Amino acid sequence: MEQLITETLGYARDHFTAFGLETAQVDALLVAGERDLRKELLQLKALAEAVPTDNDKVAQSLHALKGLLMNMGNNSAGQVFAELETAFKATREVAGILALLAAG
């Protein structure tokens, strides 16, 4: 999880700077983005580990992470979460989600 957060913050700095935002604005967005990303990742982990699994909440969390990552400029990770979302909706399996969260 920490690797994903660090990677995403690097992309986000470049992404937000490319919009012409001032350093103070970029820094504020990074603080908020890190907070939201960390919160959503921890929530997804808890949801995926819960028995029984709340399928709707897991799908919502995957969707939220996909959007958050893409909005922060980490399109490759956003695409991974998009694929996880699609796979989860089809199979309701959390193993791939837990493996991804454990790896990064």
Side-chain angles (χ1 to χ4, degrees):
M1 239 179 358
E2 293 303 317
Q3 180 182 344
L4 176 61
I5 292 168
T6 300
E7 174 184 282
T8 301
L9 291 174
Y11 281 115
R13 180 170 296 283
D14 295 341
H15 185 68
F16 297 145
T17 300
F19 279 109
L21 299 175
E22 295 179 16
T23 302
Q25 293 171 309
V26 171
D27 290 344
L29 287 170
L30 292 177
V31 168
E34 180 179 4
R35 178 197 64 228
D36 293 347
L37 186 56
R38 190 173 299 281
K39 176 185 167 194
E40 199 63 50
L41 285 166
L42 289 172
Q43 179 180 340
L44 177 61
K45 185 175 187 294
L47 288 167
E49 291 173 339
V51 177
T53 302
D54 186 330
N55 293 332
D56 291 337
K57 287 186 179 180
V58 171
Q60 289 170 356
S61 186
L62 288 167
H63 185 78
L65 278 162
K66 171 186 70 175
L68 183 58
L69 289 162
M70 289 185 172
N71 284 332
M72 293 180 75
N74 193 345
N75 294 329
S76 60
Q79 185 59 40
V80 169
F81 276 86
E83 291 168 8
L84 276 173
E85 179 185 12
T86 300
F88 178 75
K89 286 179 178 179
T91 65
R92 302 298 191 206
E93 291 290 326
V94 296
I97 296 167
L98 292 171
L100 177 70
L101 294 174

